[in-house]
Amino acid sequence: MDFETRLNNLRANSEYSELLDIDIAMWPEDAVFHDDLSNNKKYNDIFIEVSDDESVRGDYILYIVFFFHNFGLILFFYHLIANGNFSWGFLFLPAMAWGFFFIFFFGIGQGGVRFNRRAQLLHIGRGKNKAATVAWRDVKPFLSSSIAGHNLELFFPIPEVEREEFNDDQLKKIHRGKPYLVQGHMDWRDPGMYGSLGRLEFYRRYMEQGLDAVQPDPDKVPQDAIRPPSPAAQRHRDQGFFLYWILDPISNVGKWLAGGPLLDRALRKQAKKFKWPEEVEHLCSPDADLSDLDTRPVKPRKDIFYRPGGINGIHLVNAKGQQLV
């Protein structure tokens, strides 16, 4: 199954909306970046790294199940002390919680994603110090829709390393007729139409121009809104009174009762075990030999731009900002 056939499968799926190709840029006035990129080990002019070593997307599920895990253990021991016998039913929730934990635990060790600007490549961790590599210019961005909202998803042809490792039937089962997926979120503020389009423009500009092109503009972004990218939601006063002063404190209490700090520590330790293969580290080094690669950045058109239009989707405009019919 070729790349275009896989893309057509996405286009026929009502949960996906195809976005514009990366040779069309966002209207400059609409582009707002709010990431603190001062960590030179992860963000520099050779590559930026989107990693999972700080948190796991959906880790709130762990906090919920381990809250009930602890509640189940309390009931188990209370029943044992009060009645002098076992009631194995109370251990169902603890057993389920540990099942969830190991799913997260082994999933987080897969590694992150490196956007290699100099080589115009993406390196995607595959666990056990393995990685797949795809060309940035091949990307096809989509917006996925679910109960949780909209999310940016980046699709590529199946990497050569997977074609060598799996046969066609295995690839069909792994990807279910879809192209190779790289999740586009980098920060907790990315989900949603505006966040997803902003993150796509962040990647597009970085891969074309470098780190200076994606720095926060102090005229557009308040200083207290500039934070290091992290999938973990961060508290801030502009959430509003109810979220900031009521729901957030309650959720923090629940996290502690669930043993959240211990869970976070175990997951961070597991994530740090991942190391990039030697080949990837070489391609991300200043002295890498890139003579066999097409390292030309994708240049955007100068006659057409797009503007986010909320529920009305995306509007195309000309070089003067006038909407095109």
Side-chain angles (χ1 to χ4, degrees), residues 228-287:
S230 172
Q234 302 166 34
R235 294 185 68 209
H236 52 94
R237 293 179 182 274
D238 55 8
Q239 287 177 313
F241 178 85
F242 185 69
L243 285 177
Y244 185 80
W245 293 106
I246 299 177
L247 285 187
D248 275 351
I250 291 175
S251 66
N252 285 334
V253 171
K255 177 179 177 178
W256 277 90
L257 291 176
L262 293 176
L263 297 173
D264 290 344
R265 181 179 179 182
L267 294 175
R268 284 196 301 269
K269 186 175 181 180
Q270 172 69 4
K272 289 179 180 178
K273 292 181 180 179
F274 174 83
K275 296 188 182 302
W276 290 102
E278 184 177 338
E279 179 185 0
V280 171
E281 292 288 14
H282 171 69
L283 288 171
C284 294
S285 65
D287 58 349

Side-chain angles (χ1 to χ4, degrees), residues 43-231:
Y43 315 113
N44 52 69
D45 268 319
I46 297 178
F47 67 87
I48 56 175
E49 183 165 330
V50 182
S51 59
D52 55 5
D53 59 350
E54 294 178 10
S55 109
V56 183
R57 194 175 185 216
D59 55 4
Y60 66 90
I61 297 175
L62 276 183
Y63 303 148
I64 292 173
V65 296
F66 267 87
F67 177 85
F68 287 104
H69 164 281
N70 296 342
F71 182 68
L73 285 182
I74 291 172
L75 290 179
F76 174 81
F77 286 112
Y78 174 80
H79 188 81
L80 176 63
I81 295 171
N83 300 311
N85 57 22
F86 290 96
S87 180
W88 296 106
F90 291 127
L91 295 182
F92 171 76
L93 288 175
M96 183 180 69
W98 282 105
F100 273 97
F101 174 79
F102 284 114
I103 291 173
F104 278 82
F105 186 79
F106 291 110
I108 197 174
Q110 298 300 303
V113 179
R114 278 189 178 180
F115 288 73
N116 187 334
R117 189 184 74 85
R118 285 189 61 207
Q120 291 295 301
L121 300 172
L122 261 68
H123 309 293
I124 304 99
R126 300 177 64 232
K128 296 182 179 179
N129 300 338
K130 298 191 298 182
T133 296
V134 292
W136 168 245
R137 61 178 38 82
D138 291 336
V139 66
K140 293 291 183 180
F142 279 75
L143 202 64
S144 68
S145 302
S146 66
I147 296 176
H150 299 289
N151 287 287
L152 174 65
E153 297 190 352
L154 308 174
F155 289 96
F156 297 85
I158 304 299
E160 189 62 31
V161 66
E162 285 205 2
R163 292 194 177 278
E164 294 173 354
E165 187 173 345
F166 305 108
N167 60 40
D168 290 342
D169 289 338
Q170 290 172 319
L171 288 174
K172 185 176 181 180
K173 292 179 181 178
I174 292 171
H175 299 287
R176 291 177 288 184
K178 298 178 182 178
Y180 188 77
L181 168 63
V182 176
Q183 293 288 351
H185 61 273
M186 182 176 177
D187 184 71
W188 64 278
R189 293 169 287 196
D190 290 349
M193 169 69 80
Y194 284 97
S196 295
L197 292 176
R199 183 57 63 192
L200 178 62
E201 179 64 8
F202 173 93
Y203 293 140
R204 191 205 64 75
R205 281 203 194 184
Y206 171 77
M207 294 299 278
E208 181 203 359
Q209 302 175 41
L211 201 65
D212 287 344
V214 291
Q215 296 293 331
D217 184 344
D219 294 331
K220 293 182 178 180
V221 182
Q223 186 63 37
D224 61 357
I226 300 174
R227 308 181 187 92
S230 172

Side-chain angles (χ1 to χ4, degrees), residues 1-13 18 140 142 155-158 163 172 175-180:
M1 188 182 299
D2 61 20
F3 186 38
E4 193 63 28
T5 301
R6 291 176 180 274
L7 287 174
N8 287 333
N9 290 340
L10 284 181
R11 292 165 180 144
N13 190 329
E18 187 173 8
K140 293 291 183 180
F142 279 75
F155 289 96
F156 297 85
I158 304 299
R163 292 194 177 278
K172 185 176 181 180
H175 299 287
R176 291 177 288 184
K178 298 178 182 178
Y180 188 77

